[in-house]
Amino acid sequence: MSVATGERVIEFRDALREAMSEEMRNDTRVFLLGEEVAQYDGAYKVSKGMLDEFGERRVIDTPISESGFSGMAIGAAMRGLRPIVEFMSWSFSLVAADPILNNAAKMLYMSGGQFGCPIVFRGNDGAGGQLASTHSWSVESLYANVPGIKMAIPYDAYDAKGLLKTAIQDDNPVFFLESERLLSTTAHVPEEAYTIPFGKALTRRVGTDCTIISFGRPLHFCLEAAEELAKEGIDCEVIDGRTIRPLDIDSMVTSVKKTSACVVVDQSWSFASVGSEIASQIHAFCFDDLDNHVYRVHSDDVPTPYAYNLEQAYLPNSRKICEAVRQATYNA
Amino acid sequence: MTNTSPKSVIPSEPSKKTGAKLNFSNVPIPEKGVLLGWLRQMLLIREFEVRTMQAYQNRLIGGFCHIYIGQEAIAVGSIAAVNDDDPVVLAYRDHGHALARGMDPKNCMAEMFGRIGGCAKGKGGSMHMFDAEHYLYGGHGIVGAQTPLGTGLAFATKYEDEIINGGKSNHVTLCYLGDGALNQGCFYEAMNLASLQDLPVIFVLENNRYSMGTSIERGTSMAHDLRVKSEAHGIHHAIVDGKNVINLYQDFKSIADWCREESRPFFVEAQTYRYKGHSMSDPRKYRTKEEESNEEHNDCIDSLCAYLREESDVTEDAVKQMLRQVKSQVKQAVEWAKNSPEPPIEELYTDVYTDHWGPYTGTSKPEMLEGDA
């Protein structure tokens, strides 16, 4: 099963909770910690009710102390425990940059393979809604640069559960990037257990004229754009990378070889980004297949503004994606 | 040499959760054989560091390299006070602790030489001594970064002992830091979490009075009374003489037993001095030759030798013979390390992930995670 089907419909946040709860039932080494995850039921209610089921020793409220509790969780992971660390926002992970990048990512290598770090860092990534610049980070490009980590970005509730279960079972550090704007969205999620493998992209829309590649929330804008463009006779293929590390460049290349045009949509800034990396790889591997260079849609290269209209203008949206596809396919 | 409790224990408020009070046991001075073992370890560390400096000058060692000479008693005395399976985590001045913990000098030296026989296959170097067999969770190169890890190791042992194994918490973690780490925010976060969670971790401050070239008075507020640093977190505190290995052992045994029993953190300031520079490239212009000379006259190895002569009839010759053996052992370690091959180039790409990986080059595809999909 690779996409959401079936009777049962639940919210994205419920899917995340189910993934964590199932893994915690299966493996005593798994525990959850973070700000307000226990008594408060989670700042975004992702961990609602988990304290009641697992108790305060396994669902642990931490103070606002990202550097400290990230490092603590990494120390625990070095012993073989499997912590899930909730960042209320990935924006707050910046004060934990040293432990998550210098310790979690490199521990296995620096110790010559002796101490791994089976840990999941998860939380909201990307603009929430008028939170202004310090709280609106899209960290994917910043962190994807670092070898040693894996990075997953779920598109809907189905992926949220399947990818998070894979993340918790993985023996490596996984950065799991959710979107506050998607937490209340719903999808079909089966009752029975399933996982979604890392490094396997999913084609969310089949098309022939242009490949659109994205991850997470912007995929929804890509699919909107594809419907709009279909009315103009431009048939887009939309690829959900699902994970950034590892990156399923093979699936992307296969699609671009078919369509000969490509647009990459990445909600982080453009300079030295996931988008520029994918574009570079597509140029390298599809050099003789492309009818045009790869076009990219990012957030604008400015700090995230507060004003509603400015924030909307700043973010990737279906209008910008449509324009990029028209240019990439010489329909502008 | 006979006092059996720390010189200075501050009766800060006991944990509100456990009501745990300080109640130190009377730790006897171990028998002569044990003391000789400590002497041998301290001589080994010193000789190892002398050879390390030599190898560095001869360019067999690269990068940054921090020498432990002068501080040997702390690693030996404190590690002797805990169990073999208690976790130990270190800062970057870590060769001495690694040897005191039982790492073979060959592997320690080979690590610095960047050879496959190193404790981390040559991937970590001088500042990053890891040894799973000896529960050594690394030297760590970023000042203070090891302190949240120490809290986490203590969290893990307690979780394992109580939640997974259903017993009583029965481990204590030794987490070492230098006085430079007193000025890093993460150390206070680490103490706060350890206190909140009642974790059995001893933060061992090796106060050698200088963070690189900055004296503690210039870099640390309240340098004259570091008790306040842990009191703010309700963590008990002791000041111990970092040059007296017997007292160090007795104090650490008391403290470790207490932490193990009560499942609480502790902050120990061991007052010491590093004889050499911060790293190999340090001309030591920030302190006087007179200060260095005064400190070297109060030496941890000399004082143990004096004690053994006076109290245990250990002769000068016996010590000299031990030193000869140690010198030969270190010489062999250097030769062994020299003969250990460089890591094969394939090692560049191992241990990045637990599954085989990569690399990304931008223009070639990485080998995807085999068996992972």
Side-chain angles (χ1 to χ4, degrees):
Chain A
M1 200 178 336
S2 61
V3 287
T5 53
E7 291 302 310
R8 197 176 68 123
V9 172
I10 62 172
E11 285 188 5
F12 197 110
R13 58 165 57 80
D14 302 325
L16 293 169
R17 183 187 318 118
E18 282 192 359
M20 293 192 288
S21 297
E22 285 178 16
E23 292 306 310
M24 284 176 66
R25 280 175 213 130
N26 290 340
D27 188 345
T28 325
R29 297 172 301 172
V30 182
F31 63 97
L32 171 68
L33 80 165
E35 292 153 4
E36 310 292 0
V37 297
Q39 292 189 15
Y40 196 87
D41 271 338
Y44 295 91
K45 306 302 168 210
V46 170
S47 55
K48 189 177 178 185
M50 288 178 69
L51 174 62
D52 292 339
E53 180 176 354
F54 298 103
E56 63 179 14
R57 297 296 298 278
R58 297 184 67 199
V59 180
I60 302 161
D61 275 328
T62 66
I64 300 169
S65 183
E66 285 86 1
S67 177
F69 69 69
S70 298
M72 181 177 88
I74 292 162
M78 289 176 77
R79 293 265 316 172
L81 298 187
R82 307 180 77 88
I84 306 167
V85 178
E86 178 174 306
F87 288 130
M88 197 183 296
S89 160
W90 272 97
S91 297
F92 308 155
S93 74
L94 299 182
V95 294
D98 183 59
I100 68 175
L101 302 181
N102 249 337
N103 294 333
K106 301 173 183 173
M107 199 65 76
L108 187 72
Y109 199 83
M110 290 233 312
S111 67
Q114 295 180 83
F115 297 107
C117 197
I119 193 167
V120 177
F121 297 100
R122 48 157 291 270
N124 291 315
D125 174 67
Q130 289 194 272
L131 300 178
S133 105
T134 58
H135 282 56
S136 300
W137 270 86
S138 295
V139 297
E140 42 270 54
S141 294
L142 200 62
Y143 292 156
N145 190 236
V146 181
I149 61 146
K150 296 187 181 182
M151 183 181 284
I153 308 195
Y155 156 84
D156 65 1
Y158 177 86
D159 275 25
K161 182 170 178 181
L163 288 170
L164 184 53
K165 281 175 70 85
T166 303
I168 297 167
Q169 291 172 13
D170 201 294
D171 288 332
N172 300 283
V174 179
F175 288 17
F176 198 85
L177 276 48
E178 299 150 15
S179 163
E180 189 242 314
R181 308 305 282 177
L182 295 180
L183 288 177
S184 297
T185 62
T186 57
H188 296 286
V189 175
E191 302 264 10
E192 59 270 24
Y194 65 97
T195 56
I196 297 173
F198 283 4
K200 298 283 173 196
L202 180 72
T203 304
R204 294 220 172 259
R205 186 185 195 282
V206 177
T208 54
D209 299 334
C210 181
T211 300
I212 307 177
I213 298 165
S214 191
F215 303 86
R217 185 181 178 224
L219 276 163
H220 295 266
F221 309 141
C222 297
L223 290 164
E224 263 179 58
E227 292 311 309
E228 186 65 29
L229 291 160
K231 294 175 196 163
E232 302 169 19
I234 306 172
D235 186 19
C236 292
E237 183 144 295
V238 178
I239 308 258
D240 176 357
R242 278 182 161 166
T243 57
I244 287 176
R245 267 186 184 268
L247 182 72
D248 184 5
I249 191 68
D250 287 341
S251 296
M252 296 166 187
V253 166
T254 303
S255 173
V256 175
K257 282 183 184 293
K258 181 177 76 174
T259 62
S260 306
C262 182
V263 171
V264 183
V265 182
D266 165 15
Q267 63 177 353
S268 54
W269 293 306
S270 61
F271 195 91
S273 61
V274 170
S276 61
E277 173 62 29
I278 294 173
S280 164
Q281 293 198 31
I282 296 288
H283 284 138
F285 301 133
C286 303
F287 192 71
D288 294 327
D289 305 287
L290 285 164
D291 289 341
N292 200 340
H293 70 78
V294 176
Y295 278 73
R296 293 193 275 142
V297 178
H298 290 274
S299 289
D300 285 338
D301 191 29
V302 297
T304 314
Y306 163 75
Y308 180 78
N309 68 320
L310 293 182
E311 187 186 44
Q312 291 304 304
Y314 157 89
L315 291 167
N317 56 37
S318 63
R319 178 184 56 77
K320 292 181 188 179
I321 297 165
C322 284
E323 283 168 13
V325 170
R326 289 187 199 110
Q327 286 183 309
T329 56
Y330 298 99
N331 285 299
Chain B
M1 294 291 264
T2 51
N3 68 313
T4 53
S5 65
K7 275 204 278 184
S8 164
V9 174
I10 303 310
S12 52
E13 276 296 298
S15 158
K16 287 197 176 80
K17 278 187 195 164
T18 63
K21 291 196 176 78
L22 290 173
N23 181 23
F24 284 114
S25 49
N26 227 7
V27 178
I29 294 178
E31 61 184 44
K32 181 174 145 189
V34 175
L35 300 184
L36 283 170
W38 293 347
L39 177 62
R40 190 188 177 96
Q41 279 192 323
M42 292 200 290
L43 288 172
L44 174 67
I45 295 169
R46 184 157 301 183
E47 181 61 20
F48 183 90
E49 293 292 58
V50 168
R51 291 285 179 177
T52 296
M53 290 191 292
Q54 223 171 52
Y56 194 91
Q57 306 289 13
N58 292 335
R59 304 194 174 198
L60 285 162
I61 298 173
F64 296 139
C65 189
H66 309 87
I67 301 298
Y68 197 59
I69 292 178
Q71 303 180 212
E72 296 92 339
I74 300 173
V76 171
S78 56
I79 286 171
V82 299
N83 297 338
D84 290 345
D85 66 345
D86 285 326
V88 174
V89 67
L90 310 164
Y92 48 79
R93 196 178 303 283
D94 58 354
H95 318 154
H97 309 76
L99 298 179
R101 188 63 178 184
M103 184 187 289
D104 192 315
K106 292 172 180 169
N107 304 120
C108 193
M109 192 61 83
E111 184 59 32
M112 290 193 277
F113 285 17
R115 304 300 171 89
I116 191 70
C119 62
K121 300 191 280 188
K123 291 181 174 184
S126 162
M127 299 189 285
H128 309 111
M129 295 293 170
F130 288 86
D131 188 354
E133 189 193 334
H134 293 102
Y135 298 88
L136 190 67
Y137 290 84
H140 294 274
I142 302 293
V143 173
Q146 76 282 12
T147 57
L149 299 178
T151 296
L153 291 165
F155 176 94
T157 60
K158 186 172 182 172
Y159 189 98
E160 290 157 11
D161 291 342
E162 295 183 354
I163 309 278
I164 295 179
N165 299 324
K168 183 184 177 304
S169 178
N170 194 34
H171 289 80
V172 62
T173 294
L174 284 176
C175 177
Y176 295 84
L177 58 142
D179 44 293
L182 289 173
N183 312 315
Q184 286 279 38
C186 63
F187 176 48
Y188 297 92
E189 299 192 28
M191 281 200 290
N192 186 45
L193 289 163
S195 186
L196 283 171
Q197 299 266 340
D198 291 318
L199 300 178
V201 53
I202 305 174
F203 296 107
V204 186
L205 167 64
E206 298 190 57
N207 182 2
N208 64 24
R209 294 167 38 197
Y210 294 91
S211 51
M212 205 165 163
T214 302
S215 67
I216 186 164
E217 293 78 16
R218 289 174 59 220
T220 304
S221 57
M222 295 297 288
H224 63 286
D225 188 0
L226 296 172
R227 296 173 298 187
V228 296
K229 304 292 182 184
S230 73
E231 273 190 327
H233 302 283
I235 294 178
H236 287 305
H237 172 283
I239 299 171
V240 299
D241 178 359
K243 291 187 173 184
N244 184 327
V245 71
I246 297 176
N247 281 5
L248 278 161
Y249 165 77
Q250 290 174 313
D251 293 345
F252 270 95
K253 184 80 174 81
S254 299
I255 290 165
D257 289 351
W258 183 86
C259 290
R260 199 187 304 277
E261 182 61 27
E262 302 293 340
S263 191
R264 281 291 295 168
F266 215 102
F267 176 60
V268 183
E269 177 192 356
Q271 295 177 335
T272 186
Y273 197 79
R274 64 164 150 77
Y275 294 180
K276 304 297 171 185
H278 162 72
S279 65
M280 288 299 295
S281 59
D282 176 1
R284 318 206 297 269
K285 285 182 179 164
Y286 47 85
R287 62 192 198 188
T288 62
K289 293 277 175 276
E290 189 187 3
E291 177 185 296
E292 293 185 352
S293 157
N294 286 342
E295 288 289 343
E296 288 182 28
H297 276 104
N298 173 23
D299 180 70
C300 60
I301 293 178
D302 290 348
S303 66
L304 180 59
C305 286
Y307 177 88
L308 285 166
R309 271 199 308 272
E310 288 158 24
E311 306 287 332
S312 305
D313 300 324
V314 174
T315 62
E316 196 110 357
D317 279 350
V319 174
K320 277 182 181 161
Q321 196 191 339
M322 184 186 282
L323 185 58
R324 275 197 299 275
Q325 289 167 354
V326 162
K327 278 177 188 281
S328 154
Q329 186 187 2
V330 174
K331 206 174 159 190
Q332 283 172 30
V334 172
E335 287 308 309
W336 189 89
K338 274 184 193 165
N339 291 325
S340 175
E342 290 180 333
I345 210 69
E346 296 77 43
E347 280 293 341
L348 188 57
Y349 305 116
T350 62
D351 309 320
V352 183
Y353 296 90
T354 54
D355 22 27
H356 182 71
W357 175 251
Y360 278 121
T361 64
T363 50
S364 71
K365 293 175 194 171
E367 292 172 52
M368 299 302 283
L369 307 163
E370 279 171 10
D372 196 40

